[in-house]
Amino acid sequence: QPAAKLYSAALDRFHSGHDASLLSYVAKAQFAAATSVPKKDEALRVLDPAMLRKCKRTLQKAMHLSPRDYSIQFNLALVLKVGAENVMVSVRDQHQEWIDAAAQDSSIVMEPPFTRRDLELVDNDNMVMRRLAAFLSSVTDEREFPKNKRQEAEEFVNWGKEASGLLPTYMEAVEDMNKRYESSREYIRKAELEREAQEELARQKAEEEKQAEKAEMAKRAEIMERKRQELVGKDDFMVIKAKGKKGRDGEGEDFIDDEAARGRLDKNQKGKKKDPEREDAIRKGIEIFLAPSDDE
């Protein structure tokens, strides 16, 4: 990426973005950043699909500026082949993994990594790649296009034919993943709606029980208040009834009768040895207690 940025800066500063050679260098740097260096007997792997798409656009612009440059055409065909191959390999590898994961736990909804649109773009790129490669494989002048590159172009054509035959199968696989995804998502959506409806019913029931409990407590409080009012409204509420002989017509029922007091005193002292001084003191105390006050 640093190299691509430097080339892009030089291209914009000195050539206003219109130089096929510098665009080729930018595309080469972008291609190196987008792919991994393959080991022996390993295919080129794409690490950054977005950067590879930038590389394709850069080469298309360079080809527009220099349509007779066969090296640019070959590089564009290579980029198109690598991009298409990467998508097809990913679809092949991830299709079965996606189905196995969905089968293990149907409650997990995983969005498919590819759509039919992705494969339609692959089909279009494959068609363009085959046309470029077929043209390059027909170039006989080695001064314009090396023989070894012409052989590679022929391999691109053969790969493109094979890919064209496989693409319908890959499209079916992608459609199958998307159908399974939509079905699982709809099932989970319905289950979620049912769960929410049950939770709402439980909340309503709990609220009704709470309101019923409040109403019962209010009813009990009302009954208790009514009883309290009835009790407070009675004439004898908080009136202490005195024991003993009542006065005439009920008067003086709260006062102590002096004769009754003396009788109880004589009764209590019966059988005991009399103490004249003590008895005289008690009588004087009773007389003083029962004597009328100045207010009376």
Side-chain angles (χ1 to χ4, degrees):
Q1 284 191 352
K5 290 181 179 179
L6 288 174
Y7 286 132
S8 298
L11 182 67
D12 294 336
R13 182 174 182 180
F14 299 108
H15 300 278
S16 300
H18 295 82
D19 184 272
S21 297
L22 275 178
L23 284 170
S24 296
Y25 285 119
V26 171
K28 183 177 180 180
Q30 290 172 338
F31 185 78
T35 58
S36 64
V37 178
K39 296 180 181 179
K40 187 177 181 180
D41 298 331
E42 285 187 0
L44 199 65
R45 275 192 317 117
V46 176
L47 301 178
D48 190 349
M51 181 61 70
L52 191 67
R53 288 192 292 270
K54 287 184 179 180
C55 178
K56 182 179 75 171
R57 289 193 293 269
T58 302
L59 287 171
Q60 287 172 337
K61 186 176 181 180
M63 184 176 172
H64 178 74
L65 295 173
S66 182
R68 295 284 300 173
D69 191 330
Y70 295 152
S71 63
I72 294 177
Q73 295 182 29
F74 178 83
N75 290 336
L76 179 57
L78 174 63
V79 169
L80 294 174
K81 174 184 177 295
V82 169
E85 187 176 20
N86 177 70
V87 173
M88 294 182 67
V89 170
S90 298
V91 170
R92 181 194 65 194
D93 294 342
Q94 296 183 25
H95 176 249
Q96 192 59 44
E97 293 178 4
W98 189 91
I99 291 178
D100 293 342
Q104 290 177 2
D105 191 351
S106 58
S107 64
I108 299 177
V109 180
M110 298 181 299
E111 187 174 1
F114 299 100
T115 63
R116 183 180 178 87
R117 176 61 180 165
D118 295 326
L119 290 178
E120 289 175 352
L121 293 174
V122 167
D123 190 23
N124 183 67
D125 289 348
N126 182 53
M127 180 182 65
V128 175
M129 184 272 297
R130 286 176 62 187
R131 288 178 180 176
L132 289 172
F135 170 74
L136 293 172
S137 63
S138 64
V139 177
T140 57
D141 190 349
E142 294 188 5
R143 290 173 299 179
E144 294 182 347
F145 194 64
K147 182 179 180 179
N148 61 333
K149 295 297 181 182
R150 186 168 69 245
Q151 292 174 347
E152 289 187 33
E154 291 175 355
E155 293 177 359
F156 289 176
V157 173
N158 295 332
W159 183 90
K161 291 179 180 178
E162 183 180 355
S164 296
L166 293 174
L167 273 173
T169 303
Y170 283 80
M171 287 184 180
E172 290 178 1
V174 169
E175 287 182 352
D176 176 60
M177 284 193 290
N178 281 278
K179 286 180 180 179
R180 289 172 180 262
Y181 170 68
E182 293 297 333
S183 176
S184 299
R185 189 170 65 172
E186 181 65 19
Y187 170 79
I188 290 180
R189 188 182 69 83
K190 290 181 179 179
E192 184 68 17
L193 290 176
E194 290 179 0
R195 184 183 64 80
E196 291 178 356
Q198 291 178 356
E199 289 180 353
E200 182 63 23
L201 288 175
R203 283 195 295 267
Q204 291 179 358
K205 185 177 180 181
E207 184 65 23
E208 290 175 357
E209 291 177 352
K210 186 177 180 181
Q211 294 298 330
E213 184 178 355
K214 286 184 178 180
E216 181 66 21
M217 292 178 67
K219 185 177 179 181
R220 291 180 180 178
E222 183 181 355
I223 293 173
M224 293 178 66
E225 179 64 19
R226 188 167 57 249
K227 290 183 176 180
R228 188 185 70 82
Q229 293 292 343
E230 291 176 357
L231 183 60
V232 170
K234 291 182 178 181
D235 296 336
D236 58 350
F237 179 69
M238 298 295 291
V239 175
I240 301 174
K241 296 180 180 180
K243 296 181 180 180
K245 184 178 179 181
K246 293 184 179 180
R248 185 177 57 187
D249 297 329
E251 294 179 358
E253 60 182 2
D254 293 333
F255 293 93
I256 300 174
D257 185 13
D258 53 346
E259 294 181 0
R262 290 190 183 96
R264 284 196 296 271
L265 181 61
D266 293 340
K267 185 179 179 181
N268 291 332
Q269 296 298 327
K270 189 180 291 185
K272 294 184 179 179
K273 185 178 180 180
K274 294 182 179 181
D275 185 351
E277 293 180 0
R278 184 171 180 274
E279 289 180 359
D280 186 57
I282 291 173
R283 286 192 187 95
K284 286 182 179 181
I286 293 173
E287 288 175 357
I288 292 171
F289 179 78
L290 296 176
S293 63
D294 296 336
D295 298 335
E296 296 176 351

